[in-house]
Amino acid sequence: MSTNNNLFSEFEAVTSKQWKQQIQYELKGADYNETLVWESPEGIKVKPFYHSDEFEAKLNTDAPENAFTILQNIFVHDVKKSNERALESLQRGAESIRFTIENETISIEQLMQNLPLKDTTYYFYLPFLSIDFATKVSNFAAKHHAKFIMLIDPIGQLTKDGNWFESLEKDIEKLDTIAASSSINFLSISAGIYQNAGANMVQQLAYTLAHVNEYFNRIPAVKHPITIEVSIGTNYFFEIAKLRALRILFNTLEKEYHHNFDCNIIATPTKRTKTIYDYNVNMLRTTTECMSAILGGANAVANLPYDALYHKDNEFGDRISRNQLLVLKHESYFDKVNNPADGAYYIENLTEQLAEKALLLFKNIEANGGFISQLIEGNIQRKISESAQKEQDLFDSGKENLLGTNKYPNKNDRMKDDLELYPFVKQNPRKTLIIPIIEKRLAEKLEQERLATE
């Protein structure tokens, strides 16, 4: 089939000025800026259209060429059952596994028995800091030529728990030892907590960058790629731009330390906008959030089961969440195009603005002592709390909607007898070094009121 390069030559190009004039005419006197331009919580003014003659690319937004992998989360309590579940998940479409291991007596040999090692990546999320255990994982990987990645993050422990594993000095000393001896990637950034606690996107990016910078400053021996775990919200295009901006910012920072490794991004849908009432809507939310993650360039996507808030891990919820990703990958072909958002002026513009604003905030954090210092002073927590409250006020007033919860709720829904897990913020008063960053969902107060009247 021949092509005609002059196919559209008879149509004159339309400038952005001409578009604006036509829009202004259609508005019949209404103000263009007041009617059609809106401002996001990040201070970004979003226009009704974007045009090539108003756009000049300032940043390199190239995304990685490799396709995303479907990641299955498995909490390891019973080693034999976890092994069987991992094998079954891989047979049913999962392409990588993330084990959460809370007990350092767990046998890696038993956990990995009969699991395919050649072409499958295994992540080990370790909410403890043990040189011996890290050595065991690294040695097993070297012996069996396995693709292992450990996820160790003492600063993430501080933000979530309020305390270090031991202390700043001891934790960094252990990380130094692991860095010097490990043959596999071991360092991760638990950035999802910022989104789940209510930080806006500029804050999420800046805090993640400052989080990374603390490790670059304190552990010069980091010679492996760093894994960044992020949460993806419901603002579809903004979330695509957020991931693109994150990679740009990381690559800019790492060059200053001669790190020379791209980051490995794991994306998971946020819990912040998930609900226990009309819970099937969670599947719609997680689908668009996974789409944002893929189009934004995430290396791995771990979907959130629709019933994760109130049900214990179960095969049905896992299968549904995994199938959502399988449909996106094998039926919607989301993995077939490299950097699919490239050239979309709207997304390119959002990417640049998010990156620029986040870089300014990052520089401010560094000028005031750095991320850890700002956490100890409580400034980071205060800023996140202020952002979260603004979003909460929008939800409470009905200006931000969650269908089935504060918009078109089904009053016949009953959930009290279905709660296997406590779906609200857990109170655990204790002495901590800093005020921990608390993850909280928008619908919690409303749901508690409904549960009380069932």
Side-chain angles (χ1 to χ4, degrees):
M1 180 178 176
S2 62
T3 59
N4 186 346
N5 294 329
N6 298 318
L7 185 62
F8 297 103
S9 60
E10 61 185 281
F11 297 98
E12 293 184 7
V14 180
T15 66
S16 60
K17 183 178 180 180
Q18 290 173 303
W19 276 112
K20 286 180 183 177
Q21 289 174 339
Q22 182 62 35
I23 291 171
Q24 191 66 63
Y25 172 78
E26 298 293 341
L27 287 174
K28 302 184 187 303
D31 186 86
Y32 174 89
N33 289 320
E34 290 184 5
T35 306
L36 298 180
V37 177
W38 59 274
E39 187 170 328
S40 77
E42 295 78 18
I44 295 175
K45 291 187 177 180
V46 181
K47 299 182 294 185
F49 75 97
Y50 290 78
H51 195 283
S52 60
D53 65 15
E54 293 182 328
F55 180 77
E56 179 183 353
K58 302 175 184 177
L59 303 173
N60 179 11
T61 56
D62 288 344
E65 294 184 1
N66 58 306
F68 76 98
T69 60
I70 298 172
L71 179 60
Q72 178 67 55
N73 291 318
I74 296 179
F75 181 86
V76 180
H77 177 67
D78 183 301
V79 175
K80 186 175 183 296
K81 289 182 179 178
S82 297
N83 172 271
E84 293 172 350
R85 186 178 168 203
L87 186 59
E88 182 181 25
S89 297
L90 291 170
Q91 292 170 344
R92 292 192 171 201
E95 297 166 327
S96 53
I97 301 291
R98 175 165 52 183
F99 291 115
T100 295
I101 301 175
E102 292 188 334
N103 186 346
E104 58 184 287
T105 63
I106 292 292
S107 169
I108 296 299
E109 288 75 14
Q110 292 178 17
L111 182 62
M112 301 305 299
Q113 189 174 10
N114 299 323
L115 290 177
L117 299 176
K118 184 179 179 181
D119 298 315
T120 304
T121 301
Y122 296 89
Y123 297 86
F124 296 84
Y125 170 63
L126 308 179
F128 59 87
L129 188 54
S130 167
I131 295 173
D132 290 343
F133 192 82
T135 301
K136 289 179 184 178
V137 176
S138 181
N139 288 345
F140 184 97
K143 179 180 178 180
H144 297 276
H145 305 287
K147 299 171 67 175
F148 282 6
I149 296 175
M150 288 185 287
L151 305 175
I152 304 174
D153 183 12
I155 297 176
Q157 163 72 11
L158 177 68
T159 62
K160 183 177 181 178
D161 184 74
N163 289 313
W164 297 98
F165 291 115
E166 291 185 63
S167 67
L168 170 59
E169 294 75 18
K170 290 182 179 179
D171 285 6
I172 295 301
E173 184 180 342
K174 286 186 175 182
L175 272 187
D176 260 326
T177 302
I178 294 171
S181 61
S182 179
S183 62
I184 62 175
N185 306 353
F186 67 93
L187 190 59
S188 74
I189 307 299
S190 305
I193 191 171
Y194 309 129
Q195 199 282 338
N196 278 297
N200 65 45
M201 290 188 198
V202 168
Q203 291 172 333
Q204 293 170 45
L205 290 168
Y207 298 159
T208 301
L209 199 63
H211 191 150
V212 173
N213 196 51
E214 290 287 350
Y215 287 128
F216 278 145
N217 275 323
R218 297 173 188 273
I219 312 174
V222 176
K223 303 300 180 185
H224 300 285
I226 294 174
T227 301
I228 302 178
E229 302 175 78
V230 300
S231 289
I232 303 299
T234 56
N235 195 337
Y236 186 74
F237 293 109
F238 270 71
E239 291 291 345
I240 295 172
K242 181 180 81 175
L243 286 194
R244 288 158 58 86
L246 174 59
R247 198 175 291 278
I248 292 168
L249 291 168
F250 179 87
N251 290 339
T252 301
L253 180 65
E254 68 164 357
K255 289 176 183 176
E256 298 299 317
Y257 293 91
H258 307 290
H259 183 63
N260 301 322
F261 291 102
D262 197 2
C263 58
N264 178 40
I265 297 177
I266 299 176
T268 302
T270 181
K271 288 184 179 179
R272 186 159 172 78
T273 55
K274 303 305 175 291
T275 60
I276 61 173
Y277 286 99
D278 212 348
Y279 47 76
N280 287 323
V281 181
N282 290 334
M283 282 188 277
L284 302 178
R285 299 180 182 120
T286 55
T287 297
T288 64
E289 288 158 1
C290 287
M291 290 166 65
S292 293
I294 298 165
L295 297 177
N299 301 92
V301 181
N303 197 7
L304 186 73
Y306 75 98
D307 59 348
L309 296 178
Y310 63 93
H311 271 169
K312 296 177 182 178
D313 287 348
N314 62 90
E315 193 276 336
F316 182 78
D318 283 346
R319 181 164 60 86
I320 294 297
S321 65
R322 199 165 50 242
N323 285 351
Q324 289 173 257
L325 291 171
L326 287 168
V327 168
L328 290 176
K329 188 164 192 173
H330 299 297
E331 296 186 28
S332 302
Y333 305 109
F334 266 52
D335 64 328
K336 298 302 182 185
V337 180
N338 291 328
N339 202 8
D342 192 29
Y345 303 130
Y346 176 39
I347 296 176
E348 296 275 13
N349 185 278
L350 292 179
T351 301
E352 291 186 359
Q353 290 197 64
L354 286 172
E356 290 169 357
K357 288 176 179 291
L359 188 58
L360 286 175
L361 180 54
F362 165 72
K363 290 179 178 179
N364 180 267
I365 293 169
E366 294 305 307
N368 287 279
F371 189 61
I372 293 175
S373 176
Q374 290 287 289
L375 282 171
I376 293 173
E377 293 175 12
N379 292 330
I380 301 294
Q381 298 91 318
R382 178 173 54 82
K383 292 294 185 181
I384 292 177
S385 179
E386 290 171 357
S387 175
Q389 189 57 53
K390 289 179 182 178
E391 188 179 19
Q392 189 68 55
D393 291 342
L394 290 174
F395 175 81
D396 293 343
S397 64
K399 294 179 181 178
E400 180 168 336
N401 297 320
L402 292 178
L403 293 180
T405 300
N406 71 334
K407 186 76 169 180
Y408 307 124
N410 180 359
K411 298 298 184 180
N412 295 321
D413 269 1
R414 295 292 182 269
M415 288 299 300
K416 184 179 291 186
D417 296 330
D418 293 328
L419 302 183
E420 297 177 355
L421 301 172
Y422 186 72
F424 308 114
V425 172
K426 297 178 177 65
Q427 302 295 328
N428 183 22
R430 67 198 188 286
K431 186 177 181 180
T432 58
L433 177 65
I434 69 165
I435 301 170
I437 297 174
I438 305 299
E439 298 180 348
K440 186 178 181 181
R441 296 182 298 109
L442 288 171
E444 288 198 14
K445 181 181 177 182
L446 190 152
E447 290 173 348
Q448 286 173 315
E449 291 172 354
R450 288 184 63 176
L451 286 170
T453 61
E454 283 189 12

